[in-house]
Amino acid sequence: MTILGIETSCDETAAAIIEGKKKFVTLKSNVLATSLALHAKTGGIIPEQAAREQAKYILPVLKETLNKAFGTPDNFDAIDAIAVTYGPGLIGSLLIGVETAKTLAYVLNKPIIPVNHMIGHIYANWIVSADSAAGASFEKLPVFPALALVVSGGHTDLLLIKKHGDIRLLGGTRDDAAGEAFDKIGRMLGLAYPAGPEIERLAKRGNPERFRFPRPLLSENTYEFSFSGLKTAVLRQVTTLPDSASLSQEIKADIARATQDAIIDVLVKKTLRAAKEHTVASILLSGGVSANQTLRDTFHKAAANTGITAEIIAPQKSLCTDNGAMIASAAYYNFSPAPWNEITADPELYF
Ligand code: KG4
Ligand code: ZN
């Protein structure tokens, strides 16, 4: 089955075509236009501006997605179904993808599957690279029961998946998400948005002993998260430094290190605790923050140290942040088309 996936929940206009092969999916094309550079200038996303950019990019992105997959921009016959993110996200941005997908479904008379963006992130774990699909070397594939940690700019959620379609939320963030904490703390350090990748780079040179920030809710018996206290602690630290207006590169690196250590510590310990409690066969990382290599390495080390044998799986780094392929993959494994005229964008959608 060949599925076109459309994702426009935030600042990325993304589309992809995947081919479902039962146990995994492969990419036929994966195209992305981003208004990130625009938002980097303002230090965050201005929703109105993001929506306008979505409207500008959506048709060129679709054209290129088809072109890359089939060598022609109008071969809709080769597509069996259309998948689209219907929430959560920014309403103006979501509407562009949802209305475009509905129009295609109506005009082409194809099934349309509305996909929850967060569940989409998890399904990036079923997408294998071309080499693997050709049998060169097989990446690890998820096995159920699985525990999913979705760590993005808007969410930090732990979910138990017994099988496709059987997903239960164990806990989510009470306030800021992990990615949001990276971004807001980055802003305090004068870093461009989104700050996660730059904090990761800086942290490599940081001294782990100089600062120590709180690990919110770590010792409490809950799978909920909270990162706003961490943000406040960093702000307090920054403003009490003698040169808070012009932080040296060294201090920035030390703060980046302590921030990343605190976030990773909470994410890894809570996830492994849940993995043990529910004796899962795999742990699926996903969302923009899961591109963080230090997070991935810490997961592997900590699991080995605590005797957890579940496979730790994460998507290819380029598929951790928003993309259309993960949306198409989620639709393939949870194939439940809806009448196009009943699909509406839902910015507050949760699980
Ligand atoms: O999943 P995503 O693309 O968008 C949302 O659905 O929110 O995630 C974006 C988030 C941003 O907060 C960004 O700072 C963070 O992912 N991020 C990272 C890294 N790469 C992206 N955080 C830490 N380390 C990274 N390498
Ligand atoms: Zn996302």
Side-chain angles (χ1 to χ4, degrees), residues 145-167:
L147 180 72
L149 172 70
V150 187
V151 265
S152 70
H155 290 261
T156 306
D157 294 309
L158 261 180
L159 301 119
L160 184 64
I161 314 179
K162 293 203 173 140
K163 57 180 196 288
H164 295 300
D166 182 349
I167 298 192

Side-chain angles (χ1 to χ4, degrees), residues 209-267:
E209 312 294 336
R210 184 158 181 183
F211 303 109
R212 186 179 166 86
F213 297 132
R215 273 86 168 131
L217 300 183
L218 183 57
S219 51
E220 281 176 47
N221 198 15
T222 165
Y223 292 126
E224 293 191 341
F225 298 88
S226 162
F227 290 107
S228 84
L230 168 67
K231 182 186 64 188
T232 315
V234 178
L235 182 64
R236 208 177 303 125
Q237 181 62 256
V238 168
T239 48
T240 52
L241 288 168
D243 291 325
S244 63
S246 60
L247 297 176
S248 69
Q249 281 305 105
E250 189 192 331
I251 289 199
K252 282 187 188 179
D254 295 346
I255 291 175
R257 175 64 192 261
T259 297
Q260 182 173 274
D261 283 354
I263 293 174
I264 289 180
D265 204 20
V266 173
L267 294 176

Side-chain angles (χ1 to χ4, degrees), residues 13 54-65 96 100 104:
T13 312
Q54 293 284 5
K56 192 161 83 187
Y57 292 140
I58 187 75
L59 294 180
V61 163
L62 272 176
K63 229 172 134 179
E64 193 172 335
T65 305
I96 306 292
T100 304
L104 286 175

Side-chain angles (χ1 to χ4, degrees), residues 117 121 152 322 326:
H117 178 83
H121 270 301
S152 70
D322 295 349
M326 68 188 199

